[in-house]
Amino acid sequence: MRYGYWTPVFGGWLRNVPDEGMEASWDYTKRLTQRAERLGYDLTLIAELNLNDIKGIEQPALDAWSTAAALAAVTETIELMVAVRPNFHHPALFAKAAANIDRIAGGRLALNVVSSWWADEATQYGLQFDEHDDRYARTEEWLQVVDGLWSEERFNFTGQFYSTKDAICAPKPTKRPTVYAGGESEKAKTMIAAQCDAYVMHGDPVTAIAPKIADMQARRAAAGGTPMHFGMAAYAIVRDSEAEARRELERITAVTDLPAGYDNFDQWLSGTQLERELKIQEYSVSNRGLRPNLVGTPEQIRQRIADYEGAGLDLLLLQMSPQAEEMERFAAQVMGTA
């Protein structure tokens, strides 16, 4: 299993706990990422939203790509998986900038391609917001342009959304960055199987994850591509006893009044085609992070991770709170690397 974590660009992961002691700042992010390397974490996922989805839109949120460029220069081994939303980035200009960041990082850049869901954010920034299937049609073209510029000396393209004429991208990336993507609609899965390298999923029990992996493996084989990698989001609580872990779970999921970010959550639900209904009590933790049940003693969590490995999962994208302290605990007690 590879272990990754979400960079806390929103100042935390708990929607109903205002101050988690992990500010949305460059200083905290740099120190956290450098420590994560020393602890043995393989990857960090840097989410891209211009508005704060967790703490409410009035609160700070770090920009993903300038943060990634800065981290590329002050880290050595960790893979930087940076979210990118096609409607916010022209693909030719993006290919140029991302190639440079990959060079700074020595080939450690990866993409997490996200077909945007937040209509209000796009409206605020004066950008086009497509309907669900059109978002994936845009992403298909966007990936073609980026791949073309990274692989050809001059690239020509004419599509519904984008066009280029004898476009040049030099220098190119050290190697083609891995492309991760997620989605549960038919349109999303078809696109990902054809054009991406890895499928990332919201948290779910092994019984739900195993058939999703099998389905995507079959789709990938039919598309003629190399085998895919599979990742999943999860929120982790490691304690010496199960009772201690359950007390922490109760603390972070106690929702009395709906916090400032609830409208964003409600809008996300209406803009997606999820296969499983989200419950209101899961609102406290994003990305269905509690469903994998990585809550308990080190022994319990290691066994659950082994079950996911048996289903074909090879990457965990972890959220914790407070991130620095809990990542130390997880590395020492579960990964055995601290």
Side-chain angles (χ1 to χ4, degrees):
M1 183 68 71
R2 299 178 72 218
Y3 292 96
Y5 69 95
W6 297 63
T7 292
V9 296
F10 306 121
W13 300 115
L14 303 176
R15 291 190 171 103
N16 58 330
V17 178
D19 184 2
E20 301 175 58
M22 41 202 279
E23 64 181 14
S25 70
W26 161 243
D27 181 64
Y28 181 87
T29 298
K30 178 179 70 171
R31 288 186 286 110
L32 181 72
T33 312
Q34 290 174 332
R35 181 58 180 155
E37 280 194 327
R38 294 192 291 272
L39 290 172
Y41 285 89
D42 300 289
L43 175 151
T44 185
L45 167 56
I46 306 172
E48 182 186 53
L49 284 175
N50 295 300
L51 302 177
N52 194 320
D53 175 46
I54 302 296
K55 301 300 184 183
I57 63 173
E58 304 295 333
Q59 299 303 310
L62 298 182
D63 171 70
W65 283 91
S66 56
T67 299
L71 287 175
V74 299
T75 56
E76 297 179 357
T77 60
I78 200 162
E79 182 178 343
L80 303 172
M81 186 212 292
V82 193
V84 56
R85 295 173 298 162
N87 62 321
F88 279 76
H89 300 268
H90 188 283
L93 300 176
F94 171 84
K96 176 73 173 177
N100 197 49
I101 294 172
D102 181 72
R103 288 274 172 175
I104 295 168
R108 291 182 287 119
L109 181 68
L111 309 184
N112 175 30
V113 180
V114 180
S115 297
S116 300
W117 55 266
W118 200 349
D120 281 357
E121 183 199 27
T123 300
Q124 282 196 26
Y125 284 81
L127 295 170
Q128 173 70 28
F129 186 79
D130 304 312
E131 293 303 316
H132 183 273
D133 285 1
D134 287 340
R135 297 204 297 271
Y136 285 99
R138 178 186 292 277
T139 299
E140 289 175 3
E141 281 194 14
W142 190 92
L143 283 170
Q144 290 179 61
V145 174
V146 171
D147 274 333
L149 281 159
W150 282 347
S151 60
E152 299 183 21
E153 294 307 311
R154 287 181 177 268
F155 184 66
N156 292 281
F157 183 85
T158 301
Q160 177 185 353
F161 301 98
Y162 304 110
S163 64
T164 63
K165 183 178 181 181
D166 292 332
I168 298 170
C169 179
K172 299 186 185 304
T174 305
K175 57 178 178 55
R176 179 185 176 276
T178 301
V179 178
Y180 299 79
E184 298 184 351
S185 69
E186 185 65 24
K187 187 75 173 176
K189 289 185 282 191
T190 299
M191 184 276 291
I192 293 166
Q195 293 182 269
C196 301
D197 307 300
Y199 184 56
V200 288
M201 297 164 279
H202 293 300
D204 259 325
V206 174
T207 52
I209 292 295
K212 290 181 181 181
I213 291 176
D215 174 60
M216 290 301 292
Q217 287 172 331
R219 290 171 184 265
R220 182 66 160 195
T226 57
M228 301 188 79
H229 294 283
F230 297 94
M232 181 187 70
Y235 189 94
I237 300 173
V238 187
R239 295 293 185 271
D240 293 334
S241 71
E242 187 172 4
E244 289 177 272
R246 290 294 158 186
R247 282 196 294 272
E248 173 65 4
L249 178 63
E250 290 172 9
R251 182 186 75 85
I252 69 169
T253 55
V255 178
T256 52
D257 300 320
L258 291 177
Y262 180 76
D263 287 344
N264 313 334
F265 174 76
D266 192 49
Q267 189 174 141
W268 174 65
L269 283 180
S270 66
T272 63
Q273 293 183 10
L274 297 178
E275 295 169 355
R276 295 162 60 91
E277 182 181 359
L278 283 168
K279 300 176 182 178
I280 187 62
Q281 55 263 43
E282 290 182 319
Y283 169 66
S284 58
V285 172
S286 67
N287 302 98
R288 300 205 297 251
L290 293 175
R291 291 192 181 189
N293 194 26
L294 297 189
V295 177
T297 65
E299 295 76 17
Q300 289 173 321
I301 291 175
R302 283 196 293 269
Q303 180 56 58
R304 289 166 194 155
I305 291 171
D307 293 340
Y308 280 105
E309 283 186 305
L313 196 76
D314 53 29
L315 172 65
L316 279 172
L317 297 166
L318 298 169
Q319 294 178 351
M320 307 176 199
S321 179
Q323 191 96 3
E325 293 84 346
E326 293 297 321
M327 282 174 57
E328 293 262 2
R329 188 198 304 263
F330 191 93
Q333 298 187 348
V334 178
M335 295 163 54
T337 57

